[in-house]
Amino acid sequence: ESRIKGTKGAMLLDEQLDVIKKVGARDVVKNVKGARQKIGAIVIEGTATSSVVELCEEAGIPYLAATNFAGSVEGSSVVLVSL
């Protein structure tokens, strides 16, 4: 099941947008840094902070989807998708 609505969780997707792993929203950073395969997108049911956007830039993750975005996200190379 690839749904996270109502879970306050996050999904890490590969480059074909298949689910690699479901994690708690607070565990995104730890799981991205420890990922063994290339992440193509992150989907967060909740707020994506500017630190998550920066993480995506540093890790080369092109897409970030979230319910809300907080902090300064202007000028980012990451494609932001509002859920």
Side-chain angles (χ1 to χ4, degrees), residues 31-61:
N31 281 278
V32 167
K33 290 185 176 180
R36 291 190 193 97
Q37 66 188 103
K38 180 132 176 70
I39 298 171
I42 297 175
V43 179
I44 299 174
E45 206 267 321
T47 301
T49 61
S50 56
S51 62
V52 174
V53 176
E54 290 170 16
L55 171 72
C56 289
E57 288 180 341
E58 291 168 10
I61 300 168

Side-chain angles (χ1 to χ4, degrees), residues 17-82:
L17 302 182
D18 293 320
V19 177
I20 299 171
K21 189 173 190 180
K22 289 184 185 180
V23 298
R26 293 182 177 160
D27 297 326
V28 169
V29 173
K30 175 176 65 175
N31 281 278
V32 167
K33 290 185 176 180
R36 291 190 193 97
Q37 66 188 103
K38 180 132 176 70
I39 298 171
I42 297 175
V43 179
I44 299 174
E45 206 267 321
T47 301
T49 61
S50 56
S51 62
V52 174
V53 176
E54 290 170 16
L55 171 72
C56 289
E57 288 180 341
E58 291 168 10
I61 300 168
Y63 299 99
L64 173 61
T67 311
N68 300 299
F69 294 91
S72 175
V73 294
E74 293 175 20
S76 171
S77 63
V78 179
V79 177
L80 304 176
V81 180
S82 183

